[in-house]
Amino acid sequence: MIYHVNPSLLVTKSSAPLSAVAISELSRKTKDQQNLHVVFLEGGVSTLKGQLIKRLEAMGYPVIRKGFVELCLDHPSFSPTGAVLTNKWCCEIIQSLQNAVEQHKHTPNKFKNNLLFVHRSLLSPHVMFSADPNKSASLAMFLEIRNIFQTTTVLCESSDYASDLKRLYRYDLASDEAKAIRDLLREGEPAYRTHIKSRYEQLDMEGSWFDFVLNNSNPKQSILPFLNTLGVTFDAMPFWDKRPDHLEMSFAKNNKFTDFINKFD
């Protein structure tokens, strides 16, 4: 069937639309049943990656979440800005990935559509903590991982308004210990968020780290075209309303798909 995707949600570097060849390659990775297709969701502070991951998990997809603040809370003896936790974060991401790939070999049916979604990647430690924007151990390790496994890396972006709402909401609900860590990481400082955003933009302009950029200001709106770009098809045919920041769907078959999506409001 034909699936109509809102082109404003998916682009390559420099905001160029994804080509048919690029979309075909992403679909091929997903349909290669012998090799797990690992999709890393990257992006700056509060670009709603976690919200997208939660929706994917609710739809039955396996996910890996290795939050740095949670890691800091589990190991309070070490400084959040020190080398130990940065390296431990890298090691836990790698170990979780290895475990998932091994599980896929024995029980591939547990991986819906042959996909695994990972919240962040080894690019995050590089962007957040490396003094050299062009070289770091985590960058070298991520390059090696991409050469070994079948991967797609997505740069999530969102509007400043959506990012600020998410950041403030998360901070308000956080424990005092988590707030102290986020303060130490300077998440609330506009200059720091601009710095992190510029680091990701620099990686994107290099043209080799991200397969495409996802406008993730509204995860509910972005999730379906995102999955479709990865080769996932659905039993109903939606169309996208032309009005900005709004999504409506019409279905040729029945309303079951509508009811399914409404669960994720």
Side-chain angles (χ1 to χ4, degrees), residues 196-214:
I196 294 297
K197 184 178 181 180
S198 68
R199 292 288 294 268
Y200 276 110
E201 288 174 347
Q202 180 177 349
L203 286 176
D204 184 33
M205 292 307 298
E206 290 178 12
S208 60
W209 294 106
F210 303 110
D211 293 278
F212 63 90
V213 179
L214 175 68

PDB file of all heavy atoms in Angstrom, residues 196-214:
ATOM      1  N   ILE A 196      25.261  22.662  23.188  1.00  0.00           N
ATOM      2  CA  ILE A 196      24.964  21.268  22.843  1.00  0.00           C
ATOM      3  C   ILE A 196      24.315  21.187  21.469  1.00  0.00           C
ATOM      4  O   ILE A 196      24.663  20.329  20.638  1.00  0.00           O
ATOM      5  CB  ILE A 196      24.049  20.631  23.901  1.00  0.00           C
ATOM      6  CG1 ILE A 196      24.777  20.531  25.239  1.00  0.00           C
ATOM      7  CG2 ILE A 196      23.571  19.255  23.436  1.00  0.00           C
ATOM      8  CD1 ILE A 196      25.996  19.648  25.221  1.00  0.00           C
ATOM      9  N   LYS A 197      23.401  22.087  21.198  1.00  0.00           N
ATOM     10  CA  LYS A 197      22.727  22.108  19.894  1.00  0.00           C
ATOM     11  C   LYS A 197      23.741  22.334  18.772  1.00  0.00           C
ATOM     12  O   LYS A 197      23.680  21.681  17.715  1.00  0.00           O
ATOM     13  CB  LYS A 197      21.659  23.192  19.872  1.00  0.00           C
ATOM     14  CG  LYS A 197      20.841  23.235  18.588  1.00  0.00           C
ATOM     15  CD  LYS A 197      19.762  24.301  18.661  1.00  0.00           C
ATOM     16  CE  LYS A 197      18.930  24.339  17.389  1.00  0.00           C
ATOM     17  NZ  LYS A 197      17.867  25.385  17.462  1.00  0.00           N
ATOM     18  N   SER A 198      24.694  23.225  19.003  1.00  0.00           N
ATOM     19  CA  SER A 198      25.700  23.514  17.975  1.00  0.00           C
ATOM     20  C   SER A 198      26.617  22.315  17.743  1.00  0.00           C
ATOM     21  O   SER A 198      27.073  22.075  16.618  1.00  0.00           O
ATOM     22  CB  SER A 198      26.524  24.744  18.364  1.00  0.00           C
ATOM     23  OG  SER A 198      27.334  24.485  19.500  1.00  0.00           O
ATOM     24  N   ARG A 199      26.901  21.543  18.801  1.00  0.00           N
ATOM     25  CA  ARG A 199      27.720  20.347  18.644  1.00  0.00           C
ATOM     26  C   ARG A 199      27.021  19.320  17.753  1.00  0.00           C
ATOM     27  O   ARG A 199      27.643  18.683  16.894  1.00  0.00           O
ATOM     28  CB  ARG A 199      28.034  19.734  20.011  1.00  0.00           C
ATOM     29  CG  ARG A 199      28.960  20.562  20.904  1.00  0.00           C
ATOM     30  CD  ARG A 199      30.400  20.564  20.421  1.00  0.00           C
ATOM     31  NE  ARG A 199      31.057  19.283  20.493  1.00  0.00           N
ATOM     32  CZ  ARG A 199      31.778  18.865  21.544  1.00  0.00           C
ATOM     33  NH1 ARG A 199      31.926  19.633  22.607  1.00  0.00           N
ATOM     34  NH2 ARG A 199      32.375  17.695  21.522  1.00  0.00           N
ATOM     35  N   TYR A 200      25.721  19.154  17.962  1.00  0.00           N
ATOM     36  CA  TYR A 200      24.960  18.221  17.117  1.00  0.00           C
ATOM     37  C   TYR A 200      24.888  18.734  15.680  1.00  0.00           C
ATOM     38  O   TYR A 200      24.989  17.951  14.726  1.00  0.00           O
ATOM     39  CB  TYR A 200      23.554  18.019  17.681  1.00  0.00           C
ATOM     40  CG  TYR A 200      23.478  16.978  18.760  1.00  0.00           C
ATOM     41  CD1 TYR A 200      23.230  17.338  20.077  1.00  0.00           C
ATOM     42  CD2 TYR A 200      23.678  15.631  18.463  1.00  0.00           C
ATOM     43  CE1 TYR A 200      23.172  16.373  21.082  1.00  0.00           C
ATOM     44  CE2 TYR A 200      23.627  14.663  19.460  1.00  0.00           C
ATOM     45  CZ  TYR A 200      23.370  15.045  20.759  1.00  0.00           C
ATOM     46  OH  TYR A 200      23.322  14.086  21.760  1.00  0.00           O
ATOM     47  N   GLU A 201      24.715  20.034  15.533  1.00  0.00           N
ATOM     48  CA  GLU A 201      24.661  20.602  14.178  1.00  0.00           C
ATOM     49  C   GLU A 201      25.982  20.392  13.449  1.00  0.00           C
ATOM     50  O   GLU A 201      26.008  20.131  12.244  1.00  0.00           O
ATOM     51  CB  GLU A 201      24.310  22.090  14.252  1.00  0.00           C
ATOM     52  CG  GLU A 201      22.862  22.349  14.649  1.00  0.00           C
ATOM     53  CD  GLU A 201      22.569  23.824  14.851  1.00  0.00           C
ATOM     54  OE1 GLU A 201      23.541  24.614  14.924  1.00  0.00           O
ATOM     55  OE2 GLU A 201      21.389  24.189  14.948  1.00  0.00           O
ATOM     56  N   GLN A 202      27.085  20.494  14.190  1.00  0.00           N
ATOM     57  CA  GLN A 202      28.393  20.275  13.583  1.00  0.00           C
ATOM     58  C   GLN A 202      28.529  18.829  13.102  1.00  0.00           C
ATOM     59  O   GLN A 202      29.014  18.568  11.993  1.00  0.00           O
ATOM     60  CB  GLN A 202      29.501  20.591  14.589  1.00  0.00           C
ATOM     61  CG  GLN A 202      30.909  20.391  14.022  1.00  0.00           C
ATOM     62  CD  GLN A 202      31.993  20.776  15.014  1.00  0.00           C
ATOM     63  OE1 GLN A 202      31.713  21.373  16.042  1.00  0.00           O
ATOM     64  NE2 GLN A 202      33.221  20.427  14.708  1.00  0.00           N
ATOM     65  N   LEU A 203      28.091  17.877  13.935  1.00  0.00           N
ATOM     66  CA  LEU A 203      28.128  16.470  13.532  1.00  0.00           C
ATOM     67  C   LEU A 203      27.240  16.236  12.314  1.00  0.00           C
ATOM     68  O   LEU A 203      27.607  15.487  11.388  1.00  0.00           O
ATOM     69  CB  LEU A 203      27.664  15.575  14.683  1.00  0.00           C
ATOM     70  CG  LEU A 203      28.624  15.384  15.858  1.00  0.00           C
ATOM     71  CD1 LEU A 203      27.961  14.557  16.939  1.00  0.00           C
ATOM     72  CD2 LEU A 203      29.917  14.706  15.402  1.00  0.00           C
ATOM     73  N   ASP A 204      26.074  16.874  12.304  1.00  0.00           N
ATOM     74  CA  ASP A 204      25.141  16.700  11.186  1.00  0.00           C
ATOM     75  C   ASP A 204      25.740  17.217   9.885  1.00  0.00           C
ATOM     76  O   ASP A 204      25.604  16.591   8.831  1.00  0.00           O
ATOM     77  CB  ASP A 204      23.831  17.431  11.502  1.00  0.00           C
ATOM     78  CG  ASP A 204      22.770  17.212  10.433  1.00  0.00           C
ATOM     79  OD1 ASP A 204      22.756  16.111   9.835  1.00  0.00           O
ATOM     80  OD2 ASP A 204      21.970  18.120  10.188  1.00  0.00           O
ATOM     81  N   MET A 205      26.427  18.353   9.946  1.00  0.00           N
ATOM     82  CA  MET A 205      26.992  18.937   8.736  1.00  0.00           C
ATOM     83  C   MET A 205      28.154  18.102   8.185  1.00  0.00           C
ATOM     84  O   MET A 205      28.495  18.213   7.007  1.00  0.00           O
ATOM     85  CB  MET A 205      27.459  20.368   9.003  1.00  0.00           C
ATOM     86  CG  MET A 205      26.311  21.346   9.264  1.00  0.00           C
ATOM     87  SD  MET A 205      25.043  21.315   7.968  1.00  0.00           S
ATOM     88  CE  MET A 205      25.988  21.839   6.552  1.00  0.00           C
ATOM     89  N   GLU A 206      28.754  17.265   9.032  1.00  0.00           N
ATOM     90  CA  GLU A 206      29.796  16.375   8.536  1.00  0.00           C
ATOM     91  C   GLU A 206      29.225  15.349   7.577  1.00  0.00           C
ATOM     92  O   GLU A 206      29.953  14.790   6.746  1.00  0.00           O
ATOM     93  CB  GLU A 206      30.500  15.674   9.706  1.00  0.00           C
ATOM     94  CG  GLU A 206      31.358  16.625  10.538  1.00  0.00           C
ATOM     95  CD  GLU A 206      32.004  15.907  11.711  1.00  0.00           C
ATOM     96  OE1 GLU A 206      31.975  14.649  11.745  1.00  0.00           O
ATOM     97  OE2 GLU A 206      32.549  16.589  12.598  1.00  0.00           O
ATOM     98  N   GLY A 207      27.925  15.073   7.701  1.00  0.00           N
ATOM     99  CA  GLY A 207      27.229  14.252   6.724  1.00  0.00           C
ATOM    100  C   GLY A 207      27.343  12.764   6.877  1.00  0.00           C
ATOM    101  O   GLY A 207      26.844  12.017   6.034  1.00  0.00           O
ATOM    102  N   SER A 208      27.992  12.262   7.932  1.00  0.00           N
ATOM    103  CA  SER A 208      28.191  10.821   8.035  1.00  0.00           C
ATOM    104  C   SER A 208      27.625  10.202   9.311  1.00  0.00           C
ATOM    105  O   SER A 208      27.567   8.975   9.423  1.00  0.00           O
ATOM    106  CB  SER A 208      29.689  10.504   7.961  1.00  0.00           C
ATOM    107  OG  SER A 208      30.393  11.142   9.012  1.00  0.00           O
ATOM    108  N   TRP A 209      27.192  11.028  10.256  1.00  0.00           N
ATOM    109  CA  TRP A 209      26.771  10.473  11.539  1.00  0.00           C
ATOM    110  C   TRP A 209      25.274  10.201  11.626  1.00  0.00           C
ATOM    111  O   TRP A 209      24.844   9.275  12.310  1.00  0.00           O
ATOM    112  CB  TRP A 209      27.190  11.405  12.678  1.00  0.00           C
ATOM    113  CG  TRP A 209      28.671  11.498  12.823  1.00  0.00           C
ATOM    114  CD1 TRP A 209      29.471  12.540  12.476  1.00  0.00           C
ATOM    115  CD2 TRP A 209      29.547  10.482  13.320  1.00  0.00           C
ATOM    116  NE1 TRP A 209      30.786  12.248  12.729  1.00  0.00           N
ATOM    117  CE2 TRP A 209      30.866  10.985  13.250  1.00  0.00           C
ATOM    118  CE3 TRP A 209      29.351   9.189  13.814  1.00  0.00           C
ATOM    119  CZ2 TRP A 209      31.971  10.245  13.667  1.00  0.00           C
ATOM    120  CZ3 TRP A 209      30.454   8.448  14.215  1.00  0.00           C
ATOM    121  CH2 TRP A 209      31.740   8.980  14.141  1.00  0.00           C
ATOM    122  N   PHE A 210      24.450  11.014  10.960  1.00  0.00           N
ATOM    123  CA  PHE A 210      22.999  10.866  11.059  1.00  0.00           C
ATOM    124  C   PHE A 210      22.403  10.470   9.713  1.00  0.00           C
ATOM    125  O   PHE A 210      22.752  11.039   8.681  1.00  0.00           O
ATOM    126  CB  PHE A 210      22.354  12.168  11.542  1.00  0.00           C
ATOM    127  CG  PHE A 210      22.887  12.638  12.866  1.00  0.00           C
ATOM    128  CD1 PHE A 210      23.675  13.779  12.951  1.00  0.00           C
ATOM    129  CD2 PHE A 210      22.625  11.935  14.025  1.00  0.00           C
ATOM    130  CE1 PHE A 210      24.188  14.210  14.159  1.00  0.00           C
ATOM    131  CE2 PHE A 210      23.130  12.345  15.247  1.00  0.00           C
ATOM    132  CZ  PHE A 210      23.910  13.487  15.318  1.00  0.00           C
ATOM    133  N   ASP A 211      21.506   9.488   9.753  1.00  0.00           N
ATOM    134  CA  ASP A 211      20.842   9.056   8.527  1.00  0.00           C
ATOM    135  C   ASP A 211      19.739  10.031   8.126  1.00  0.00           C
ATOM    136  O   ASP A 211      19.490  10.237   6.946  1.00  0.00           O
ATOM    137  CB  ASP A 211      20.269   7.656   8.713  1.00  0.00           C
ATOM    138  CG  ASP A 211      21.377   6.625   8.878  1.00  0.00           C
ATOM    139  OD1 ASP A 211      21.926   6.194   7.858  1.00  0.00           O
ATOM    140  OD2 ASP A 211      21.696   6.276  10.033  1.00  0.00           O
ATOM    141  N   PHE A 212      19.064  10.602   9.109  1.00  0.00           N
ATOM    142  CA  PHE A 212      18.119  11.674   8.813  1.00  0.00           C
ATOM    143  C   PHE A 212      17.774  12.420  10.096  1.00  0.00           C
ATOM    144  O   PHE A 212      18.086  11.984  11.198  1.00  0.00           O
ATOM    145  CB  PHE A 212      16.856  11.156   8.106  1.00  0.00           C
ATOM    146  CG  PHE A 212      16.014  10.180   8.899  1.00  0.00           C
ATOM    147  CD1 PHE A 212      14.988  10.613   9.723  1.00  0.00           C
ATOM    148  CD2 PHE A 212      16.228   8.821   8.762  1.00  0.00           C
ATOM    149  CE1 PHE A 212      14.202   9.708  10.415  1.00  0.00           C
ATOM    150  CE2 PHE A 212      15.440   7.902   9.438  1.00  0.00           C
ATOM    151  CZ  PHE A 212      14.430   8.352  10.276  1.00  0.00           C
ATOM    152  N   VAL A 213      17.150  13.572   9.910  1.00  0.00           N
ATOM    153  CA  VAL A 213      16.722  14.432  11.017  1.00  0.00           C
ATOM    154  C   VAL A 213      15.212  14.318  11.151  1.00  0.00           C
ATOM    155  O   VAL A 213      14.489  14.358  10.151  1.00  0.00           O
ATOM    156  CB  VAL A 213      17.128  15.902  10.770  1.00  0.00           C
ATOM    157  CG1 VAL A 213      16.652  16.789  11.911  1.00  0.00           C
ATOM    158  CG2 VAL A 213      18.639  16.013  10.595  1.00  0.00           C
ATOM    159  N   LEU A 214      14.740  14.166  12.383  1.00  0.00           N
ATOM    160  CA  LEU A 214      13.310  14.035  12.646  1.00  0.00           C
ATOM    161  C   LEU A 214      12.808  15.250  13.406  1.00  0.00           C
ATOM    162  O   LEU A 214      13.325  15.574  14.475  1.00  0.00           O
ATOM    163  CB  LEU A 214      13.043  12.766  13.460  1.00  0.00           C
ATOM    164  CG  LEU A 214      11.604  12.541  13.911  1.00  0.00           C
ATOM    165  CD1 LEU A 214      10.705  12.253  12.714  1.00  0.00           C
ATOM    166  CD2 LEU A 214      11.531  11.394  14.921  1.00  0.00           C
TER     167      LEU A 214
END
